[in-house]
Amino acid sequence: MILKQGQIVDNRWHVVYLIKENPYAESYRVEDESGNPYFMKIYRLKNTPDKLINNGSVNEIEWSMSIKHKNIISLIDFGTHKDEEGDCPFLVATYFSGELLSEMLQRETKLQPDVATKIFLEMLQGLHYMHTSCGCLHNDITPSNIMLSNKTGGTAELIDLGHVSAGFMGTPPFDTADLDPRYASGQSFIGKYDERNDIFAAAAVFYTMLTGHAPWNVEFTPDMTRKDKIKLVKKARSEQSELDLSDIEDDKLCDILRKGLALGYNDRYGSVREMLKDLVEGDESETAQEVRTKVLDEEFEDVLSHFQSGIGDSNDNDNDYSGRDSRSRQESETSADVEVKRGGGNGFADIAGMDDLKEMLRKRVILILKDKELAEKYKLTPPNGMLLYGPPGCGKSFFAEKFAEETGFNFILVKASDLGSIYIHGSQGKIADLFKKAEENAPSVLCFDEFDAFVPSRSGDLGSNQAGEVNEFLTQLNNCSKRGIFVIATSNRPDKVDPAVLRTGRIDKQVYVPMPDETARKLMFELYLKDRPCEEIDCDELARKADGYVASDIAYVVNEAATIAAFNRENISQELLCKTIEGIKPSINKDLLKEYEEMRDKMEGISRTNSLPRVGFQ
């Protein structure tokens, strides 16, 4: 195994358990510093087949960086873990928060037409985005790769981007052993992959939802090889060229399935948009209305016609999306897709402890930002930005959000994946657009989470693109306070941040966010236990027992105890909380804490001299 249970990856991701593995990649459930679950896939680069790598980068990670859509699993983070056997690139994505479509079908057998159609429409929106905005194919649409997310009320999301590629004819740039031939068109069996193959697969999933079985009713046995499966699928399709639609009463859906699953290449839909247009005709559901607004409006015509003209007809043997580029796609890739959270909330009242830090910021930062007349009277220069650094799990990003609430400013949280781009210099365009949006929403707090990933030191081995991105940040950070922007950067590794970023006029202040002391831990227990069904709780005792625990540890302890109590239909007790603390180790050990204290001293320019022998008079 590449990782071990309990290991911290990139000073941020806590490994909970292994999900699955193969000779070159492993998947894990991991948690962030607040205990939120995520999915991590990590590759051992030296074992990874060459066809999965392009210019030293893993294809899946590179494609994931460019794909951002509500109907596709979201990339959260990416990086490289190093161990004694070499580089291990990884990606972190949203965790499976609901059930897979295959699990729903196993439980329900088949779905009602309105439910199946809603899921199908959402799948197609994700595919349309991949085909038109990213120039890529999914290549593995099956019921097992559709997640119905709890976080979004059962919205369908395409998952598993391990087979994503541009269109091609020939040897696939991914493993095919785990592909399900029942959901693949015949063209893929001879190595021809284009958007029509994805459309066929999506239609096959729709058919399965409506009938309770795969098209042509093909079933596999566990001992069958992929070659055997393909042979069985081909035989079934040749013996029964007409698809059995007797279980489907809706004529419109039957027509769509006939065209979506047509065995002749030219007889199938040529684009997802074409299929969507037929599907939403006469449908007044909310999802159909969304498709009309976001997909079928005239503003999409140019990019779609350009995309389709690059595919060619059925006689083309080599459909290559990688060379195609449209102005609309380029502009999309240089636009920062971030959420602006409007002012409001309780501010510092929601933060347990950190009183000295809060008071310092009120006096030295917030006062100047909020009282412009006072600042002008005393000729005080508004601060430009602040770096919050320290051990993981101490609530730096949460503190940044509450700082924005305290000031009444709008809040924009940015993660490294938000600025990823498949274009050369695309990320630089997104950085410029991000600061423009912050200015348009001024006054605003612009928070960069894990800032070292945005502006790594240029003294290291950076590529020209990354160095260009750091330079773009330096330009945008210069006196951005004059544009109504206050920047907060958070980092567990400030020593990896380019020093030029931390100079006056850019990130003016560096603030160490320490481990919570006993008083802060007590307040955290009180905060996290508030409004939960509890017996009489002694938070002083809990704070003492939780010595060395950070905010995310305490949140995890309380939530774990609450889960156990809920399962047993009883109140949360002191005994249960104490037992939970005993069973959960703090995420920061003493050696790691010592490293952070030394880092703090270096950042503050403090020299430890008390360990040196005294000289002079005794």
Side-chain angles (χ1 to χ4, degrees):
M1 287 172 57
I2 300 172
L3 304 176
K4 297 179 181 178
Q5 186 175 351
Q7 185 173 348
I8 306 293
V9 179
D10 205 33
N11 292 307
R12 181 179 182 186
W13 303 109
H14 178 266
V15 178
V16 181
Y17 56 76
L18 176 72
I19 297 174
K20 63 179 180 179
E21 61 182 324
N22 63 36
Y24 57 86
E26 297 172 2
S27 301
Y28 294 86
R29 171 177 166 144
V30 298
E31 293 179 351
D32 65 7
E33 55 189 21
S34 299
N36 300 311
Y38 293 93
F39 172 86
M40 174 181 283
K41 188 170 184 178
I42 186 166
Y43 287 80
R44 186 167 299 286
L45 202 55
K46 71 171 189 176
N47 296 344
T48 304
D50 290 342
K51 65 182 178 180
L52 304 185
I53 300 173
N54 182 30
N55 293 327
S57 300
V58 177
N59 292 336
E60 180 178 3
I61 297 176
E62 290 297 304
W63 281 114
S64 296
M65 289 168 59
S66 68
I67 296 173
K68 188 174 180 61
H69 189 273
K70 70 182 185 67
N71 296 119
I72 305 174
I73 191 170
S74 299
L75 179 73
I76 302 298
D77 192 16
F78 59 93
T80 301
H81 169 71
K82 296 180 182 291
D83 65 10
E84 63 277 2
E85 293 190 45
D87 289 350
C88 301
F90 67 84
L91 64 85
V92 177
T94 46
Y95 197 70
F96 308 137
S97 62
E99 68 175 342
L100 298 177
L101 176 58
S102 57
E103 295 171 338
M104 175 184 274
L105 290 171
Q106 192 171 18
R107 185 180 72 248
E108 304 287 343
T109 305
K110 62 181 179 179
L111 306 182
Q112 292 298 317
D114 58 334
V115 175
T117 302
K118 176 181 179 294
I119 294 172
F120 188 43
L121 281 169
E122 289 165 349
M123 290 165 49
L124 292 179
Q125 287 183 81
L127 272 184
H128 174 267
Y129 169 81
M130 292 181 75
H131 291 175
T132 60
S133 295
C134 301
C136 65
L137 312 167
H138 188 282
N139 294 320
D140 192 18
I141 302 293
T142 70
S144 296
N145 284 335
I146 309 297
M147 179 175 72
L148 307 173
S149 175
N150 282 340
K151 292 182 179 179
T152 51
T155 297
E157 295 179 16
L158 307 180
I159 65 171
D160 193 349
L161 305 182
H163 299 84
V164 172
S165 74
F168 65 91
M169 178 69 183
T171 304
F174 47 77
D175 282 341
T176 59
D178 58 341
L179 294 180
D180 190 334
R182 293 174 297 183
Y183 299 92
S185 65
Q187 72 195 67
S188 70
F189 300 155
I190 59 171
K192 184 180 179 69
Y193 287 79
D194 64 13
E195 68 170 341
R196 295 188 190 214
N197 188 56
D198 273 351
I199 292 169
F200 182 97
V205 171
F206 190 34
Y207 180 92
T208 304
M209 287 191 281
L210 292 169
T211 65
H213 58 81
W216 291 276
N217 210 9
V218 177
E219 294 295 334
F220 299 146
T221 59
D223 60 335
M224 293 179 73
T225 64
R226 173 171 167 77
K227 188 175 181 180
D228 291 336
K229 292 176 182 178
I230 291 175
K231 186 183 294 186
L232 183 62
V233 168
K234 286 181 175 180
K235 183 174 184 291
R237 292 176 184 176
S238 65
E239 291 177 350
Q240 184 187 341
S241 57
E242 285 293 321
L243 194 64
D244 182 7
L245 298 170
S246 58
D247 289 342
I248 303 172
E249 298 178 358
D250 190 313
D251 290 340
K252 184 182 81 170
L253 297 185
C254 287
D255 290 341
I256 289 170
L257 287 170
R258 285 191 189 96
K259 192 169 181 180
L261 291 169
L263 298 180
Y265 183 89
N266 279 336
D267 297 329
R268 285 203 303 277
Y269 286 103
S271 71
V272 175
R273 184 179 186 276
E274 187 184 340
M275 176 180 268
L276 281 169
K277 188 175 180 180
D278 285 351
L279 192 60
V280 299
E281 184 179 357
D283 187 345
E284 298 304 322
S285 68
E286 185 177 339
T287 307
Q289 295 285 8
E290 181 182 10
V291 169
R292 291 191 186 95
T293 302
K294 293 187 176 181
V295 180
L296 303 182
D297 280 353
E298 290 182 358
E299 64 185 274
F300 286 91
E301 292 289 351
D302 290 340
V303 65
L304 283 163
S305 61
H306 179 85
F307 173 77
Q308 289 165 350
S309 67
I311 294 177
D313 58 29
S314 63
N315 294 323
D316 290 337
N317 289 326
D318 191 1
N319 296 326
D320 186 1
Y321 295 64
S322 59
R324 266 182 284 118
D325 190 14
S326 73
R327 186 179 303 277
S328 297
R329 277 175 56 196
Q330 183 81 38
E331 289 173 356
S332 172
E333 279 297 321
T334 55
S335 176
D337 185 14
V338 292
E339 179 184 358
V340 179
K341 184 177 180 182
R342 304 298 173 183
N346 300 320
F348 285 165
D350 286 342
I351 299 176
M354 298 189 188
D355 292 335
D356 292 342
L357 176 57
K358 289 185 284 191
E359 187 63 22
M360 182 275 287
L361 291 175
R362 285 192 181 102
K363 289 180 179 179
R364 297 189 181 184
V365 178
I366 296 175
L367 177 66
I368 301 172
L369 290 174
K370 294 183 70 174
D371 195 334
K372 291 184 178 180
E373 291 183 7
L374 182 69
E376 186 175 339
K377 179 179 179 180
Y378 286 89
K379 293 186 173 16
L380 299 174
T381 304
N384 207 57
M386 165 174 71
L387 174 70
L388 300 178
Y389 69 96
C394 292
K396 296 181 287 296
S397 300
F398 180 72
F399 191 96
E401 182 176 356
K402 295 302 164 183
F403 175 93
E405 293 178 0
E406 190 74 14
T407 60
F409 288 10
N410 294 322
F411 181 71
I412 303 174
L413 177 63
V414 189
K415 298 181 181 293
S417 57
D418 294 330
L419 300 183
S421 175
I422 61 173
Y423 292 102
I424 297 172
H425 307 310
S427 291
Q428 288 174 241
K430 286 192 172 186
I431 294 165
D433 183 67
L434 179 65
F435 277 85
K436 181 182 177 183
K437 286 184 178 179
E439 185 175 2
E440 290 170 350
N441 289 277
S444 60
V445 170
L446 190 53
C447 177
F448 294 97
D449 192 31
E450 302 300 336
F451 196 48
D452 47 284
F454 293 95
V455 285
S457 176
R458 287 168 296 174
S459 62
D461 185 20
L462 286 190
S464 59
N465 285 352
Q466 267 191 299
E469 290 162 18
V470 175
N471 290 333
E472 182 66 33
F473 260 107
L474 294 176
T475 301
Q476 295 294 337
L477 285 169
N478 280 328
N479 301 312
C480 62
S481 61
K482 294 180 179 179
R483 293 181 278 161
I485 305 169
F486 184 73
V487 174
I488 298 182
T490 72
S491 178
N492 299 329
R493 294 302 305 267
D495 53 322
K496 292 185 176 181
V497 174
D498 193 279
V501 176
L502 304 179
R503 291 175 187 162
T504 305
R506 290 171 182 150
I507 303 295
D508 300 309
K509 297 183 180 296
Q510 291 87 50
V511 179
Y512 181 73
V513 181
M515 298 273 288
D517 59 18
E518 187 172 320
T519 301
R521 295 195 300 273
K522 175 188 174 183
L523 293 172
M524 286 176 187
F525 274 109
E526 291 175 350
L527 183 66
Y528 295 138
L529 287 166
K530 185 179 179 181
D531 297 328
R532 298 184 195 244
C534 298
E535 297 178 2
E536 188 173 342
I537 303 297
D538 182 357
C539 289
D540 287 303
E541 181 189 8
L542 298 177
R544 289 192 296 271
K545 284 184 172 292
D547 184 24
Y549 287 62
V550 295
S552 59
D553 295 334
I554 294 172
Y556 186 83
V557 165
V558 172
N559 194 63
E560 190 74 6
T563 301
I564 296 171
F567 183 80
N568 293 320
R569 306 294 194 276
E570 61 187 20
N571 290 336
I572 302 169
S573 66
Q574 182 81 8
E575 181 183 3
L576 177 58
L577 285 163
C578 289
K579 283 184 177 179
T580 306
I581 292 172
E582 291 170 3
I584 297 174
K585 294 181 180 179
S587 55
I588 307 296
N589 59 44
K590 292 181 179 179
D591 290 337
L592 185 58
L593 179 59
K594 184 179 178 181
E595 287 182 25
Y596 276 102
E597 290 172 345
E598 291 172 352
M599 193 183 301
R600 175 200 60 194
D601 294 346
K602 183 179 180 181
M603 293 288 292
E604 296 177 356
I606 297 174
S607 298
R608 292 284 183 180
T609 58
N610 55 0
S611 61
L612 297 176
R614 295 179 63 186
V615 296
F617 294 104
Q618 300 293 320

